[in-house]
Amino acid sequence: MIRRLSTLAAVAALALVPLAASAQITPGTQLSGTIDQQIDSKSAVVGQRFTMSNVHSQDNNINGATIYGHIDSVQSAGQGRAAKLSLAFDKLHTRSGGSYALDGRATAVQVNTKSNVVNEAGGAVAGMIVGNIIGKKVGTNMGGLLGAAGGYIYAKNAKQNVTIPANSTVTVQVLQARRQATR
């Protein structure tokens, strides 16, 4: 009888252990949250740390978690070179205290890219002025037109940096998550 009561007590105690503590995060899970700091391709460096807050899964099994990550690769924009920014996601800490080593990829990031329209118009005007000056010295009236076209093409090829503003929404698809031992 005593043995039976102790077995029932053990079963009851196990039933009270939160299911979330033993939950696994499966590959393909979508996690969304807000990035806590601004990241800019002009000033970011490889290895720079970032955090994401208010992370939740689409089914809300995970809610109020934090993701920790770093800049995996970065390329600032330049003449003929587009900006690139790659984020790596390292850890997930759930509100219930679970900790996971995380491997994921960004599937949606709110990014701002400065418009190049002002640069293109300015390049065309500057090219027209320079073209007119050269055209008059050479003896042609086509200098302004050719200069405007050249200035526009040069400015069009000048790429802009990208910025992920603070508090932007980022969605991460989990590739792998391994539960870490809690201390």
Side-chain angles (χ1 to χ4, degrees):
M1 180 73 170
I2 293 176
R3 186 174 189 176
R4 189 176 210 178
L5 286 176
S6 64
T7 304
L8 286 173
V11 169
L14 287 175
L16 296 176
V17 173
L19 292 177
S22 63
Q24 294 297 317
I25 299 171
T26 58
T29 300
Q30 297 283 324
L31 302 171
S32 294
T34 56
I35 199 152
D36 294 329
Q37 50 280 110
Q38 177 173 298
I39 301 173
D40 188 311
S41 63
K42 184 176 181 179
S43 61
V45 293
V46 172
Q48 178 180 331
R49 300 271 177 209
F50 67 86
T51 55
M52 288 174 51
S53 299
N54 302 316
V55 175
H56 62 278
S57 60
Q58 289 179 332
D59 60 8
N60 283 322
N61 283 338
I62 298 170
N63 205 348
T66 302
I67 289 179
Y68 298 88
H70 69 276
I71 306 296
D72 187 47
S73 66
V74 64
Q75 175 177 291
S76 62
Q79 187 64 30
R81 184 181 65 217
K84 295 180 183 176
L85 192 57
S86 177
L87 306 177
F89 306 96
D90 305 318
K91 290 184 184 178
L92 172 71
H93 288 273
T94 63
R95 190 175 2 176
S96 64
S99 182
Y100 296 84
L102 185 65
D103 181 16
R105 66 181 178 93
T107 57
V109 181
Q110 181 183 336
V111 176
N112 291 346
T113 304
K114 184 178 167 187
S115 173
N116 208 23
V117 171
V118 173
N119 287 347
E120 293 165 7
V125 170
M128 183 177 67
I129 292 169
V130 172
N132 273 332
I133 292 169
I134 293 172
K136 288 185 194 262
K137 290 193 185 235
V138 174
T140 181
N141 290 333
M142 296 297 291
L145 180 61
L146 294 174
Y152 172 79
I153 290 170
Y154 180 81
K156 181 80 172 164
N157 200 29
K159 305 299 182 183
Q160 297 295 319
N161 283 301
V162 296
T163 301
I164 303 171
N167 300 315
S168 294
T169 301
V170 176
T171 301
V172 178
Q173 180 183 30
V174 174
L175 300 175
Q176 183 178 27
R178 292 178 316 280
R179 183 151 177 90
Q180 304 293 293
T182 55
R183 296 179 183 181

